Coordinates of all heavy atoms in Angstrom, one line a residue:
L1 N 0.1 -16.8 -13.8 CA 0.0 -18.1 -13.1 C 1.0 -19.1 -13.6 O 1.3 -19.1 -14.8 CB -1.4 -18.6 -13.2 CG -2.4 -18.0 -12.3 CD1 -3.8 -18.2 -12.8 CD2 -2.2 -18.5 -10.9
K2 N 1.5 -19.9 -12.7 CA 2.5 -20.9 -13.0 C 1.9 -22.3 -12.7 O 1.0 -22.4 -11.9 CB 3.8 -20.7 -12.2 CG 4.4 -19.3 -12.4 CD 5.6 -19.1 -11.4 CE 6.2 -17.8 -11.5 NZ 7.3 -17.6 -10.6
P3 N 2.5 -23.3 -13.3 CA 2.0 -24.7 -13.0 C 2.1 -25.0 -11.5 O 1.2 -25.7 -11.0 CB 2.9 -25.6 -13.8 CG 3.3 -24.8 -15.0 CD 3.4 -23.4 -14.4
E4 N 3.1 -24.5 -10.8 CA 3.2 -24.7 -9.4 C 2.2 -24.0 -8.5 O 2.1 -24.3 -7.3 CB 4.6 -24.4 -8.9 CG 5.0 -23.0 -9.2 CD 5.9 -22.9 -10.5 OE1 5.6 -23.6 -11.4 OE2 6.9 -22.2 -10.5
D5 N 1.4 -23.2 -9.1 CA 0.2 -22.6 -8.4 C -1.0 -23.5 -8.4 O -2.0 -23.2 -7.7 CB -0.2 -21.3 -9.1 CG 0.9 -20.2 -9.0 OD1 1.5 -20.1 -7.9 OD2 1.0 -19.5 -10.0
T6 N -0.9 -24.6 -9.1 CA -2.0 -25.6 -9.1 C -2.2 -26.1 -7.7 O -1.3 -26.7 -7.0 CB -1.7 -26.8 -10.0 OG1 -1.6 -26.3 -11.4 CG2 -2.8 -27.8 -10.0
A7 N -3.5 -26.0 -7.2 CA -3.8 -26.4 -5.9 C -5.3 -26.2 -5.6 O -6.0 -25.5 -6.5 CB -3.0 -25.6 -4.8
V8 N -5.8 -26.7 -4.5 CA -7.1 -26.3 -4.1 C -6.9 -25.1 -3.2 O -6.1 -25.1 -2.3 CB -7.8 -27.4 -3.3 CG1 -9.2 -26.9 -2.7 CG2 -8.0 -28.6 -4.1
Y9 N -7.7 -24.0 -3.5 CA -7.5 -22.8 -2.8 C -8.7 -22.6 -1.8 O -9.9 -22.8 -2.2 CB -7.5 -21.6 -3.7 CG -6.2 -21.4 -4.4 CD1 -5.8 -22.3 -5.4 CD2 -5.3 -20.4 -4.1 CE1 -4.6 -22.2 -6.0 CE2 -4.1 -20.2 -4.7 CZ -3.7 -21.2 -5.7 OH -2.5 -21.0 -6.3
Y10 N -8.4 -22.3 -0.5 CA -9.3 -22.2 0.5 C -9.4 -20.8 1.1 O -8.3 -20.2 1.3 CB -9.0 -23.2 1.7 CG -9.0 -24.6 1.3 CD1 -7.9 -25.3 0.8 CD2 -10.2 -25.4 1.5 CE1 -7.9 -26.6 0.5 CE2 -10.2 -26.7 1.1 CZ -9.1 -27.3 0.7 OH -9.1 -28.7 0.3
C11 N -10.6 -20.4 1.3 CA -10.8 -19.1 2.0 C -10.8 -19.3 3.5 O -11.3 -20.4 4.0 CB -12.1 -18.5 1.6 SG -12.5 -16.9 2.3
N12 N -10.3 -18.4 4.3 CA -10.2 -18.5 5.7 C -10.6 -17.1 6.3 O -10.4 -16.1 5.8 CB -8.7 -18.8 6.1 CG -8.5 -18.6 7.6 OD1 -8.0 -17.6 8.0 ND2 -8.7 -19.7 8.3
A13 N -11.2 -17.2 7.5 CA -11.6 -16.1 8.3 C -11.4 -16.3 9.7 O -11.7 -17.4 10.2 CB -13.0 -15.6 7.9
G14 N -11.0 -15.3 10.5 CA -10.9 -15.3 11.9 C -11.9 -14.3 12.5 O -12.4 -13.4 11.8
K15 N -12.1 -14.3 13.8 CA -12.9 -13.4 14.5 C -12.2 -12.7 15.6 O -11.2 -13.3 16.2 CB -14.2 -14.0 15.0 CG -15.0 -14.7 13.9 CD -16.4 -15.0 14.3 CE -17.3 -13.8 14.3 NZ -18.7 -14.0 14.5
Y16 N -12.6 -11.5 16.0 CA -11.9 -10.8 17.1 C -12.1 -11.6 18.4 O -13.1 -12.2 18.7 CB -12.6 -9.5 17.3 CG -12.3 -8.5 16.2 CD1 -13.3 -8.2 15.2 CD2 -11.1 -7.8 16.1 CE1 -13.0 -7.3 14.2 CE2 -10.8 -6.9 15.1 CZ -11.8 -6.7 14.1 OH -11.5 -5.8 13.1
L17 N -11.0 -11.7 19.1 CA -10.9 -12.3 20.4 C -11.3 -13.8 20.4 O -11.8 -14.3 21.3 CB -11.8 -11.6 21.4 CG -11.6 -10.1 21.6 CD1 -12.6 -9.5 22.5 CD2 -10.2 -9.8 22.1
S18 N -10.9 -14.4 19.3 CA -11.2 -15.8 19.1 C -10.0 -16.5 18.4 O -9.4 -15.9 17.5 CB -12.5 -16.0 18.3 OG -12.7 -17.4 18.1
T19 N -9.8 -17.7 18.8 CA -8.8 -18.5 18.1 C -9.4 -19.5 17.0 O -8.7 -20.2 16.3 CB -8.0 -19.4 19.1 OG1 -8.9 -20.3 19.8 CG2 -7.2 -18.6 20.1
V20 N -10.7 -19.4 16.9 CA -11.4 -20.3 15.9 C -11.2 -19.7 14.5 O -11.3 -18.5 14.3 CB -12.9 -20.4 16.3 CG1 -13.6 -21.2 15.2 CG2 -13.1 -21.0 17.6
M21 N -10.9 -20.6 13.6 CA -10.8 -20.2 12.2 C -11.9 -20.9 11.4 O -12.2 -22.1 11.6 CB -9.4 -20.6 11.7 CG -8.3 -19.8 12.3 SD -6.7 -20.2 11.5 CE -6.4 -21.9 12.0
Y22 N -12.4 -20.2 10.4 CA -13.4 -20.7 9.6 C -12.9 -20.9 8.2 O -12.0 -20.2 7.7 CB -14.6 -19.8 9.5 CG -15.3 -19.5 10.9 CD1 -14.8 -18.5 11.7 CD2 -16.3 -20.4 11.4 CE1 -15.4 -18.3 13.0 CE2 -16.8 -20.2 12.6 CZ -16.4 -19.1 13.4 OH -16.9 -18.9 14.6
W23 N -13.3 -22.0 7.5 CA -12.8 -22.4 6.2 C -13.9 -22.6 5.2 O -15.0 -23.1 5.6 CB -12.0 -23.7 6.4 CG -10.8 -23.5 7.2 CD1 -10.7 -23.8 8.6 CD2 -9.5 -23.1 6.8 NE1 -9.4 -23.6 9.0 CE2 -8.7 -23.2 8.0 CE3 -8.9 -22.8 5.6 CZ2 -7.3 -22.8 7.9 CZ3 -7.6 -22.4 5.6 CH2 -6.8 -22.5 6.7
G24 N -13.6 -22.3 4.0 CA -14.5 -22.6 2.9 C -14.3 -24.0 2.4 O -13.4 -24.7 3.0
Q25 N -15.0 -24.5 1.5 CA -14.9 -25.8 1.0 C -13.8 -26.0 0.0 O -13.4 -27.1 -0.3 CB -16.2 -26.3 0.3 CG -16.5 -25.8 -1.1 CD -16.8 -24.3 -1.2 OE1 -17.0 -23.6 -0.3 NE2 -16.8 -23.8 -2.5
G26 N -13.3 -24.9 -0.5 CA -12.2 -25.0 -1.5 C -12.6 -24.9 -2.9 O -13.7 -25.3 -3.3
T27 N -11.8 -24.3 -3.8 CA -12.0 -24.2 -5.2 C -10.7 -24.6 -5.9 O -9.6 -24.2 -5.6 CB -12.5 -22.8 -5.6 OG1 -12.8 -22.8 -7.0 CG2 -11.5 -21.8 -5.4

C-alpha cells in the first residue's frame, strides 16, 4: 500500500439485464 491509496473504498454490484448499480456505505 502507498499513501496515494488513501481513500474511502466502496463496494459495487450490478444485476443481469439492469443498468442499476448498488453501492455500499464505504470503508
Side-chain angles (χ1 to χ4, degrees):
L1 283 162
K2 304 174 180 179
E4 53 262 42
D5 295 318
T6 296
V8 177
Y9 284 70
Y10 296 91
C11 181
N12 168 268
K15 303 197 77 174
Y16 290 103
L17 303 177
S18 176
T19 59
V20 177
M21 293 185 292
Y22 300 91
W23 297 91
Q25 81 287 350
T27 185

